[in-house]
Amino acid sequence: MPERVFNFSAGPAVMPLPVLEEAQRDLVALPGVGSSVMELSHRGKTYMDIHADAKARLVSLLNIPDTHEVLLLQGGSRLQFSMIPLNLLKGTDKTADYVLTGSWGKKALEEAVKEGKTNVAWDGKSINFNNLPSQSDLKLTSDAAYVHITSNETIQGVQFQSIPEVGNVPLVADLSSDFLSRPVDVSKYGIIYACAQKNAGPAGVTVVIIRKDLMEHASGDLPGYMVYRNHAENDSMWNTPPTFGIYLLGLVCKWLQEEFGSLEKLQAHNQAKAQLLYDAIDQSGGFYLGHAVPEVRSKMNVTFKLGDDDSDKKFLAAANELGLTQLGGHRSVGGVRASIYNAMPVEGVEKLRDFMLDFKK
């Protein structure tokens, strides 16, 4: 096999090597089946067992209660930016609250305003999205249709360490970039959604965990695919599901269970990885400038800059020569971004840390 680099891409991102190797081994023909997963009917028993297994592993890892439904959809978070207000806001006289902590929260709001009344409960634009609001900072609507947050902003590198208190209002959260990276009390959420291509598999699958009573809110004039209830009633097979992506999602969940056992252990593992890089930043005497304030730093996306654009470019070029790839910050902010999702091995983070120390010298 060609030598693999340490890929710090924000998404699609590094996947667990055992998952890739198992998928490679069985790509042409699943054992005992004689066909590739990509060739199987989604109505056949073999694939339906794969489908059910992926969902069961999600339920087990996240301790998802019976009050919530697991949906495996397509369209990424972008589609959820529309599906959520279409199902929960459109046709009501209520207001949807949005907490804007970075670029993806802003994009979610852009779609919601098309479907009903919205309220910006907090906006971090004035501080360049380097911090998160305290509870007292939030200007929430008492009877809102829902409150929307982005758990982890990949571009700015800020992450909620605890969720806001929203009372009886449904809390809706985009967990795309920290999904399955730490324990989550699903019962406190109305909707959790996450595109898979950061922590849970390849691009093409979107996991939606929705409180069952919220699926009854949709108006009857929505296009069929946009109605959560349709997907729930058809076990996420209202249309042909992304079968290969769901197969890989199941393998990733199996790897998490076998490698870590619980999300509590995985959380500690991810914390330790992130600390390696944040220590290098904090002990650099200002050579490396972290974007987020320490209390809200992301454990998934470590963002920083050097003194100027030219230094950033030299850093990225030298890192790439060492097999530390995809470290460039998002095109909208520049700098450096090390995405260290679940599948990024400690060895990769240590090599980046060592390079940061050597480059400074």
Side-chain angles (χ1 to χ4, degrees):
M1 182 177 69
E3 183 179 353
R4 284 173 59 81
V5 298
F6 289 116
N7 171 19
F8 292 90
S9 170
V14 60
M15 287 180 61
L17 186 57
V19 169
L20 295 176
E21 289 174 336
E22 182 171 344
Q24 179 190 49
R25 183 191 71 210
D26 297 341
L27 180 63
V28 175
L30 279 174
V33 177
S35 296
S36 171
V37 171
M38 291 183 284
E39 301 171 312
L40 298 176
S41 167
H42 63 293
R43 301 294 182 188
K45 183 181 184 305
T46 299
Y47 173 73
M48 292 187 76
D49 287 346
I50 291 170
H51 191 93
D53 180 72
K55 291 177 65 175
R57 291 183 186 279
L58 285 171
V59 170
S60 177
L61 281 165
L62 289 163
N63 295 313
I64 300 173
D66 291 339
T67 52
H68 287 64
E69 185 79 32
V70 178
L71 306 177
L72 304 176
L73 307 180
Q74 293 161 293
S77 290
R78 290 277 192 168
L79 185 61
Q80 293 308 305
F81 294 167
S82 296
M83 282 186 75
I84 289 160
L86 281 170
N87 281 262
L88 303 186
L89 180 62
K90 180 180 174 66
T92 74
D93 60 358
K94 291 192 171 187
T95 298
D97 287 344
Y98 277 74
V99 181
L100 306 186
T101 54
S103 300
W104 294 111
K106 291 196 303 181
K107 293 181 187 300
L109 176 64
E110 289 171 3
E111 299 304 318
V113 297
K114 302 173 184 178
E115 309 304 337
K117 293 184 293 184
T118 58
N119 167 55
V120 176
W122 187 83
D123 189 348
K125 181 179 180 181
S126 64
I127 56 172
N128 197 24
F129 300 112
N130 74 339
N131 205 347
L132 296 177
S134 65
Q135 187 67 38
S136 61
D137 291 332
L138 298 174
K139 308 302 180 187
L140 299 174
T141 307
S142 60
D143 63 341
Y146 58 88
V147 177
H148 182 283
I149 65 170
T150 307
S151 176
N152 181 76
E153 284 281 1
T154 57
I155 294 176
Q156 285 78 19
V158 294
Q159 183 180 32
F160 277 98
Q161 307 306 311
S162 60
I163 61 174
E165 295 292 333
V166 297
N168 293 324
V169 174
L171 179 62
V172 175
D174 180 353
L175 264 64
S176 290
S177 52
D178 59 358
F179 187 60
L180 295 176
S181 72
R182 58 181 179 175
V184 173
D185 185 351
V186 175
S187 68
K188 293 185 177 181
Y189 294 81
I191 298 177
I192 289 171
Y193 64 97
C195 52
Q197 67 265 23
K198 301 173 187 296
N199 254 334
V205 184
T206 305
V207 178
V208 176
I209 304 169
I210 181 170
R211 210 173 71 204
K212 292 176 180 178
D213 63 291
L214 296 178
M215 293 190 290
E216 304 305 317
H217 292 202
S219 60
D221 61 347
L222 295 181
Y225 193 90
M226 306 300 283
V227 179
Y228 288 121
R229 185 173 59 251
N230 287 345
H231 298 288
E233 291 175 350
N234 291 276
D235 192 21
S236 298
M237 298 188 195
W238 190 81
N239 69 315
T240 303
T243 54
F244 191 69
I246 291 170
Y247 161 71
L248 289 172
L249 167 65
L251 293 185
V252 169
C253 290
K254 183 178 77 167
W255 173 77
L256 289 174
Q257 291 171 317
E258 294 176 349
E259 185 75 14
F260 299 99
S262 71
L263 294 187
E264 285 81 6
K265 290 183 179 179
L266 178 58
Q267 181 181 31
H269 175 76
N270 285 329
Q271 170 67 43
K273 287 195 304 184
Q275 199 61 49
L276 292 172
L277 300 185
Y278 286 125
D279 283 347
I281 293 170
D282 293 341
Q283 296 167 15
S284 71
F287 186 82
Y288 298 113
L289 303 171
H291 177 76
V293 301
E295 294 76 17
V296 301
R297 285 169 165 171
S298 170
K299 309 304 185 296
M300 299 285 101
N301 310 98
V302 178
T303 56
F304 60 95
K305 292 186 176 183
L306 285 76
D308 53 70
D309 289 346
D310 186 55
S311 296
D312 290 344
K313 292 176 182 177
K314 290 179 180 177
F315 177 95
L316 294 170
N320 194 69
E321 287 294 316
L322 292 176
L324 301 167
T325 68
Q326 305 293 314
L327 280 164
H330 190 271
R331 61 185 180 278
S332 64
V333 296
V336 181
R337 173 175 56 178
S339 296
I340 51 174
Y341 299 122
N342 293 341
M344 172 56 67
V346 173
E347 293 77 14
V349 181
E350 289 175 337
K351 185 173 181 179
L352 174 57
R353 184 270 317 271
D354 293 344
F355 167 71
M356 291 171 67
L357 299 178
D358 290 342
F359 187 84
K360 175 177 178 293
K361 292 177 184 177

